[in-house]
Amino acid sequence: MFRIMEKRLLAPAVHQLVVEAPLVARRARPGNFVIVRTNETGERIPLTIADYDPETGTVMLVVQEVGKSTMDIGMMEAGDSFTDVAGPLGQATPIKKVGTIVGVAGGIGVAPLLPQIKLHKEIGNHVITIVGARTRDLLILKDETEQASHEVIFATDDGSFGYHGFVTGALEELIKQGRQIDEVTAIGPVRMMQATCNLTRKHNIPTLVSLNAVMVDGTGMCGCCRVTVGGETKFSCVDGPDFDGHKVDFDELASRQAFFRDEENLARELAEQKRGGCKCHEK
Amino acid sequence: MPREIVDRVEMPKQSPEDRRSNFREVALGLDSELAVREAKRCIQCKTKPCTKGCPVEVEIPEFIALMAQGKFREADAKIKEKNSLPAICGRVCPQESQCESLCTLGKKFKPVAVGSLERFAADWTRENSPESGCEKTNTDGPALSLCTAADGIERPSARIAVIGSGPAGLTCAAELALMGYGVDIFESLHETGGVLRYGIPEFRLPKTIVNQEVDYVRSLGVRIFTNVLVGTTLDLNEMLAKGEYQAAFIGTGAGLPYFLEIPGENLNGVYSANEFLTRVNLMKAYRFPEYDTPVKIGKRVTVVGAGNVAMDAARTSLRLGADDVKIVYRRSRTEMPARLEEIENAEEEGVQMFLLTNPVRIVSDGKGGVGAMECIKMELGEPDASGRRRPVPVPGSEFTMDVDTVIVAVGQGPNPLLARATQGLALNRKGNIEVRDEYGATSIPGVWAGGDIVTGAATVISAMGAGKRAARGIDIWLRSQS
């Protein structure tokens, strides 16, 4: 169980994994996530299900190496197994026929966005996808995005590919062109989702965001992932992870995400020392 | 001729100075000599009130008589006829309000130390059995062994799903396995035991004990599947409709933490007791960075609430290095729901009690963390629905406490995940599962429930009692169906 069937490098330090988890694959829906643990001393981390296939009993996960646990996953190969994969967790994204939806993804946020826009297209929405990355090499899953959308705008911060600027700039242009936009779904770093919501609020476009709070169990028993939405406390693992972006307290979310930063840095440094140092922090 | 009654044997403990800085078990257990001496104090009265005080009706005088003769293995077997998890019950049951409270000897002298004796019998048997040793408990137990019905009655060959591997589920599964049924337990976390694993700390209940008790349940032929959330990973009605299972028991507990709903509660440094204890106990954050899960504790910790969970959180905070740990409770000492022994243990270790005190808001340190907590003094008014005098704020008595960590331990409710996903499962107003008879039958035919998911947060032993009764109910029903 939970064997890695395939592993592919999508961009530097970004991995695509196809993992055997038949019970999860059978009931997964767009927006659901899993909690995984790599080994017996590992922590539980949430990863969004980027694709699922009940036939083969597998789920697809996209993992960016940002700390100890994701670096551990980066070291795993096809044939290795996760100790634990629990799911599908969270509420499925509410996906309705609305007309035109714009999917906005930052960085690896495009992976969790994919199953959502696929379903949007399937049920007859016109899908425009905006995918942003720092630079050309970090744009991932381009073909899959093009297949799942009617129109795609790629954006890079440095202008090395597509639109030169942030995803919000590209979205603003669409709005200025007078394109009909009935709904926006934004997935990516907190500040990118916040900026997207600030823009769409001005134009009264309903916007859904997928929040990435710190989680432990992922089943609603601890409240570590609590967020403030419309003035109320919600547990993002069971009430979300998707929420009305215009009601989310993003500053609080960003602050809570940073709570364990010292510990995270320590764990990563120790792991790097053990592996003889990494190449990214050479002095 | 009345015989001489010797003093009750008190369990040796680690000294408060030593234990407040380690996670080893506080109570050290009896040795065989002390155990025999204490067993001999039992007067073997005919009325056996102690047995009536035990929610699972362990035959207490009978097992104690065996212990008095040094027959510890036989004593353990006697207990296990009624209680599958004696090493756990001997440690965490509130004996002072159950078996020991009714002890005949206790009317004139101190009651027999039933809990200590139960614990000794279980520990001795485990340590002196050939296959002893802690094996990691994980997914996919051994294939079902052919269990013979304990009482020789022929039973239908049915498979039963048990949802949740806490004390209720483990007990129900063990009972059903002993009756000869095939039993599969489904657990949402990656480890078994429920609150025994994630809630009660190592220093009160070592996890090797939990492993060994779970291994015992597994040795009866019960299979355990971890990482399975019934309600999301599997659908209960579908499992029954497909005929994979002929009956089910729901023992999913009270795992949804309540918060105070006061300003500042989402600041960094505010934990639910569930999160704090899960990080430390289940994820072993006290061994970070050897284990990957972090936990952060400040120097000045306040725990809100005064149940056993609050005591566990306060004592855990000390062990993680907090200098100053306070319990803040809105009622007085008499109303504290924690076991007296646990309150004493906490105070000996240096936990301070701020009674008749209620938090009003948590104040930021300006950097997203906790800087202080504003509280108000309370006084006791008229009794409320629970019979306890209602705390009323004293106007103008607000004061501020310097704190950097707040742990909220004001109770838990039922997790709604399973009920939300299971059509036809009737709940009461509080979200607990409604049961229709003394066995715990729910509104869905073939589905029973018991433990905290029915009663709200209660004790380990009452959950075990409910698991046991449900097993009886399931057996009667299955035999009536065949």
Side-chain angles (χ1 to χ4, degrees):
Chain A
M1 276 274 261
F2 315 133
R3 201 149 46 103
I4 299 173
M5 309 302 287
E6 291 170 44
K7 189 184 169 208
R8 191 155 74 94
L9 191 70
L10 297 181
V14 178
H15 309 274
Q16 181 186 47
L17 306 159
V18 176
V19 180
E20 192 176 41
L23 293 179
V24 181
R26 198 167 65 98
R27 292 174 63 89
R29 296 290 173 272
N32 287 150
F33 65 96
V34 287
I35 291 270
V36 307
R37 209 168 63 113
T38 49
N39 56 54
E40 289 301 328
T41 55
E43 62 181 334
R44 294 168 67 95
I45 60 167
L47 296 170
T48 308
I49 300 169
D51 200 2
Y52 49 89
D53 184 351
E55 298 290 310
T56 57
T58 58
V59 294
M60 197 248 275
L61 307 173
V62 173
V63 182
Q64 180 168 31
E65 294 185 35
V66 292
K68 204 261 175 186
S69 294
T70 46
M71 283 164 55
D72 283 347
I73 294 174
M75 302 277 287
M76 293 168 83
E77 299 297 342
D80 291 342
S81 291
F82 286 95
T83 309
D84 304 285
V85 176
L89 301 170
Q91 303 281 332
T93 310
I95 291 174
K96 296 183 296 284
K97 185 144 195 258
V98 290
T100 298
I101 83 116
V102 178
V104 184
I108 66 158
V110 65
L113 183 67
L114 268 175
Q116 301 193 16
I117 55 173
K118 262 188 206 168
L119 187 56
H120 273 294
K121 193 175 173 191
E122 220 174 279
I123 65 167
N125 285 322
H126 183 82
V127 177
I128 307 171
T129 309
I130 304 172
V131 183
R134 227 171 51 239
T135 184
R136 176 190 200 122
D137 294 345
L138 300 177
L139 283 169
I140 59 165
L141 300 166
K142 281 208 257 195
D143 294 347
E144 288 84 347
T145 311
E146 275 170 345
Q147 252 173 40
S149 326
H150 295 96
E151 302 169 51
V152 183
I153 301 163
F154 293 105
T156 50
D157 301 359
D158 63 0
S160 53
F161 189 81
Y163 175 83
H164 187 171
F166 295 145
V167 285
T168 38
L171 177 61
E172 195 162 18
E173 268 193 17
L174 279 183
I175 297 170
K176 275 190 190 148
Q177 286 163 17
R179 293 288 301 264
Q180 172 66 31
I181 301 172
D182 300 292
E183 195 181 298
V184 167
T185 292
I187 308 183
V190 174
R191 294 308 180 192
M192 169 253 153
M193 291 192 283
Q194 184 173 27
T196 305
C197 290
N198 288 342
L199 173 67
T200 56
R201 190 183 288 114
K202 280 192 287 192
H203 300 278
N204 283 319
I205 305 168
T207 303
L208 212 59
V209 290
S210 177
L211 301 187
N212 40 4
V214 178
M215 287 187 191
V216 183
D217 61 285
T219 64
M221 60 170 263
C222 88
C224 177
C225 65
R226 61 196 191 274
V227 289
T228 303
V229 182
E232 278 179 59
T233 293
K234 301 275 181 194
F235 290 3
S236 44
C237 69
V238 291
D239 301 318
D242 299 304
F243 292 101
D244 177 347
H246 295 160
K247 294 183 175 168
V248 170
D249 185 339
F250 286 103
D251 291 338
E252 180 186 275
L253 174 64
S255 165
R256 287 184 66 79
Q257 279 185 341
F259 182 48
F260 289 109
R261 189 147 292 161
D262 294 345
E263 287 76 9
E264 287 161 6
N265 288 340
L266 174 67
R268 194 185 55 225
E269 274 164 31
L270 290 172
E272 281 166 358
Q273 274 172 24
K274 223 170 166 180
R275 283 165 203 169
C278 78
K279 291 159 201 84
C280 48
H281 291 110
E282 265 167 20
K283 284 171 193 147
Chain B
M1 199 188 83
R3 48 177 208 163
E4 191 195 342
I5 303 293
V6 298
D7 284 346
R8 170 176 157 124
V9 171
E10 294 303 337
M11 173 103 56
K13 285 182 189 175
Q14 278 194 68
S15 77
E17 300 73 51
D18 287 343
R19 72 191 196 225
R20 60 169 285 170
S21 55
N22 70 60
F23 276 86
R24 292 194 304 275
E25 193 170 15
V26 165
L28 300 169
L30 304 179
D31 61 24
S32 51
E33 193 189 322
L34 288 175
V36 170
R37 198 210 305 171
E38 181 62 20
K40 285 181 174 164
R41 286 181 73 234
C42 174
I43 58 171
Q44 294 291 321
C45 59
K46 294 278 176 295
T47 51
K48 304 176 189 178
C50 50
T51 295
K52 294 184 195 87
C54 172
V56 296
E57 294 161 8
V58 168
E59 293 179 2
I60 293 168
E62 288 82 351
F63 100 75
I64 291 182
L66 291 164
M67 295 208 53
Q69 300 168 49
K71 293 181 177 169
F72 304 132
R73 192 182 305 277
E74 291 79 359
D76 180 58
K78 187 79 196 157
I79 300 168
K80 283 213 171 92
E81 285 174 13
K82 294 293 169 75
N83 179 346
S84 308
L85 313 168
I88 291 168
C89 287
R91 286 174 165 84
V92 303
C93 271
Q95 289 99 6
E96 67 278 9
S97 58
Q98 296 175 341
C99 53
E100 292 180 16
S101 75
L102 300 174
C103 175
T104 305
L105 195 63
K107 287 176 186 154
K108 275 184 79 178
F109 305 93
K110 284 192 172 168
V112 175
V114 180
S116 304
L117 292 176
E118 180 183 36
R119 168 182 163 161
F120 179 82
D123 286 0
W124 188 93
T125 305
R126 193 182 56 252
E127 282 155 19
N128 292 280
S129 62
E131 73 275 25
S132 122
C134 160
E135 265 181 56
K136 159 97 185 63
T137 66
N138 210 337
T139 48
D140 304 330
L144 183 75
S145 62
L146 289 170
C147 293
T148 45
D151 52 11
I153 301 169
E154 197 155 318
R155 290 185 155 90
S157 62
R159 186 155 281 278
I160 298 146
V162 170
I163 305 162
S165 70
L170 287 173
T171 305
C172 186
E175 288 293 310
L176 290 165
L178 285 168
M179 292 172 183
Y181 293 108
V183 184
D184 290 346
I185 296 182
F186 297 97
E187 165 58 47
S188 69
L189 289 172
H190 60 269
E191 288 270 21
T192 51
V195 75
L196 307 171
R197 178 82 56 183
Y198 72 76
I200 304 175
E202 185 79 15
F203 56 82
R204 275 217 291 142
L205 178 62
K207 298 312 149 211
T208 52
I209 303 280
V210 181
N211 287 347
Q212 285 156 346
E213 297 280 65
V214 171
D215 284 345
Y216 167 73
V217 174
R218 201 173 263 153
S219 76
L220 302 174
V222 172
R223 300 192 298 182
I224 302 177
F225 299 92
T226 52
N227 295 310
V228 178
L229 276 92
V230 177
T232 56
T233 314
L234 293 173
D235 178 290
L236 177 57
N237 285 323
E238 192 185 306
M239 290 156 79
L240 294 168
K242 278 188 175 170
E244 292 165 329
Y245 295 92
Q246 281 69 53
F249 172 74
I250 303 174
T252 49
L256 178 87
Y258 291 141
F259 282 90
L260 295 160
E261 292 173 27
I262 59 173
E265 205 162 20
N266 293 348
L267 288 167
N268 283 333
V270 183
Y271 295 98
S272 73
N274 267 15
E275 179 190 348
F276 179 66
L277 292 172
T278 298
R279 284 180 180 274
V280 178
N281 299 330
L282 174 70
M283 305 311 297
K284 297 192 164 53
Y286 67 97
R287 288 165 71 179
F288 177 87
E290 183 196 343
Y291 282 75
D292 292 343
T293 305
V295 67
K296 211 179 186 114
I297 191 92
K299 288 291 162 202
R300 289 163 307 189
V301 177
T302 297
V303 179
V304 184
N308 289 319
V309 175
M311 298 306 139
D312 287 345
R315 298 172 69 197
T316 299
S317 303
L318 284 173
R319 284 160 174 78
L320 291 172
D323 291 335
D324 174 277
V325 179
K326 295 183 183 80
I327 293 267
V328 165
Y329 180 49
R330 63 200 181 119
R331 302 181 201 247
S332 75
R333 186 172 284 265
T334 357
E335 289 84 20
M336 288 173 84
R339 288 183 70 186
L340 184 62
E341 186 189 341
E342 298 309 325
I343 298 170
E344 285 170 4
N345 279 335
E347 288 191 310
E348 280 173 16
E349 289 166 16
V351 174
Q352 307 154 57
M353 303 291 164
F354 276 67
L355 305 175
L356 290 167
T357 304
N358 208 24
V360 184
R361 73 187 176 104
I362 302 166
V363 186
S364 167
D365 63 357
K367 292 173 285 184
V370 174
M373 189 163 84
E374 201 178 293
C375 297
I376 189 162
K377 285 301 207 181
M378 310 291 278
E379 58 190 12
L380 293 180
E382 294 302 305
D384 64 11
S386 74
R388 297 183 298 180
R389 292 176 64 195
R390 205 162 54 89
V392 190
V394 178
S397 67
E398 290 87 350
F399 68 102
T400 300
M401 239 176 218
D402 282 346
V403 300
D404 33 39
T405 302
V406 177
I407 301 170
V408 181
V410 294
Q412 294 103 238
N415 188 312
L417 275 189
L418 172 76
R420 200 151 68 186
T422 307
Q423 283 230 318
L425 189 63
L427 307 178
N428 68 14
R429 273 184 303 119
K430 288 181 173 172
N432 292 111
I433 296 178
E434 207 176 87
V435 297
R436 311 246 148 131
D437 61 19
E438 72 270 30
Y439 300 113
T442 69
S443 56
I444 302 179
V447 178
W448 277 257
D452 286 1
I453 188 65
V454 170
T455 57
T459 60
V460 168
I461 188 71
S462 64
M464 291 177 52
K468 208 175 164 85
R469 285 193 302 280
R472 243 177 253 163
I474 290 171
D475 182 43
I476 294 167
W477 185 76
L478 285 172
R479 278 190 279 149
S480 77
Q481 298 280 302
S482 63

